[in-house]
Amino acid sequence: MRIAVAGATGNIGKLTVAALERDGHDVVPVSRSLGVDLMTGEGLDKALDGVEAVVDAISSNAVDRDESVAYFGTTTRNLLAAEERAGVRHHVLLSIIGIHKVEGNAHYAGKREQERLVSAGSVPWTIVPVAQFFDFAAMVAGWAEQDGVATIAPLLVQPIAPADVADVLAEIAVGRPQGRYTDVAGPEPQDLVDMARRTFAARGRTVKLVPTWSGIFGTAMAGDVLLPGESARIAPTTFDEWLATQQ
């Protein structure tokens, strides 16, 4: 199949391109650095010529709610319109578990807008809600780190290996549209503070971690809010196996 991957130069995008190419598919990488701008639509029609399915793995660093909603809304509208013109038969959206339970998170607000547009659009779709990635804890701590000290929320998550996410997206993209897919997560629940500590240790770094709800993640995300549902699809790679690759 000829499959386009939006956000192809990002963490999950690159791995999804590799997974699809490994399986013999013709992959069209979609990224601003490659001449396709989802915010303006420039280059989209040419990129989607002959494409049968699109995997949307774009992300945003916006910390303002309105900015996040505007970014995900604009890019998704442009992408879906170009897919309709090109006759694309399947739109696969990478989303996040628990975004409909948390109101105060700007990124989640943008992802909800993305889901709303995809589910209301004319292109057949699959939305794939995925748990946080294994590298999420260290990344979050890195945002707040100053002079070797970082605050981090004690979130309970069931994280997943980025490569496992890519494999699931590649598998779904070549199949029929399924609407809202089941939650996808890793094998074991983890505490975000402990994840960050173990990741830094594996990488040979010493960072003092201060658990707190006063940062970017509040108590609305506490408890089982970010955990997968009972019918979740469980990916094979464990956090310990991933940590071994970080040494």
Side-chain angles (χ1 to χ4, degrees), residues 49-62:
D49 184 29
V51 165
E52 299 171 74
V54 172
V55 176
D56 184 353
I58 68 170
S59 190
S60 169
N61 295 322

Side-chain angles (χ1 to χ4, degrees), residues 66-141:
D66 291 342
E67 183 183 352
S68 177
V69 171
Y71 173 78
F72 281 115
T74 299
T75 54
T76 301
R77 287 187 186 92
N78 287 337
L79 186 55
L80 291 173
E83 289 176 18
E84 188 172 3
R85 292 192 295 270
V88 171
R89 301 199 300 264
H90 191 185
H91 180 97
V92 180
L93 173 62
L94 172 62
S95 194
I96 308 169
I97 292 172
I99 63 171
H100 296 281
K101 301 177 183 178
V102 180
E103 282 298 324
N105 185 288
H107 187 69
Y108 283 16
K111 295 297 290 184
R112 286 196 298 272
E113 176 67 1
Q114 214 180 11
E115 287 195 6
R116 184 186 71 81
L117 291 168
V118 168
S119 60
S122 61
V123 179
W125 53 274
T126 305
I127 292 173
V128 188
V130 173
Q132 285 69 30
F133 310 141
F134 283 154
D135 54 356
F136 179 71
M139 180 179 68
V140 169

Side-chain angles (χ1 to χ4, degrees), residues 131-218:
Q132 285 69 30
F133 310 141
F134 283 154
D135 54 356
F136 179 71
M139 180 179 68
V140 169
W143 294 341
E145 183 182 350
Q146 290 186 340
D147 300 323
V149 179
T151 57
I152 184 169
L155 298 177
L156 183 61
V157 296
Q158 193 160 324
I160 185 171
D164 287 346
V165 176
D167 285 343
V168 170
L169 293 175
E171 173 197 313
I172 291 173
V174 302
R176 61 176 179 79
Q178 301 182 56
R180 188 167 191 87
Y181 195 73
T182 189
D183 292 346
V184 181
E188 304 162 319
Q190 302 282 347
D191 172 78
L192 201 69
V193 180
D194 185 59
M195 285 178 64
R197 177 186 60 77
R198 294 170 66 193
T199 303
F200 285 134
R203 294 174 177 175
R205 294 200 58 215
T206 300
V207 179
K208 181 180 179 180
L209 298 172
V210 181
T212 179
W213 291 111
S214 64
I216 59 173
F217 301 130

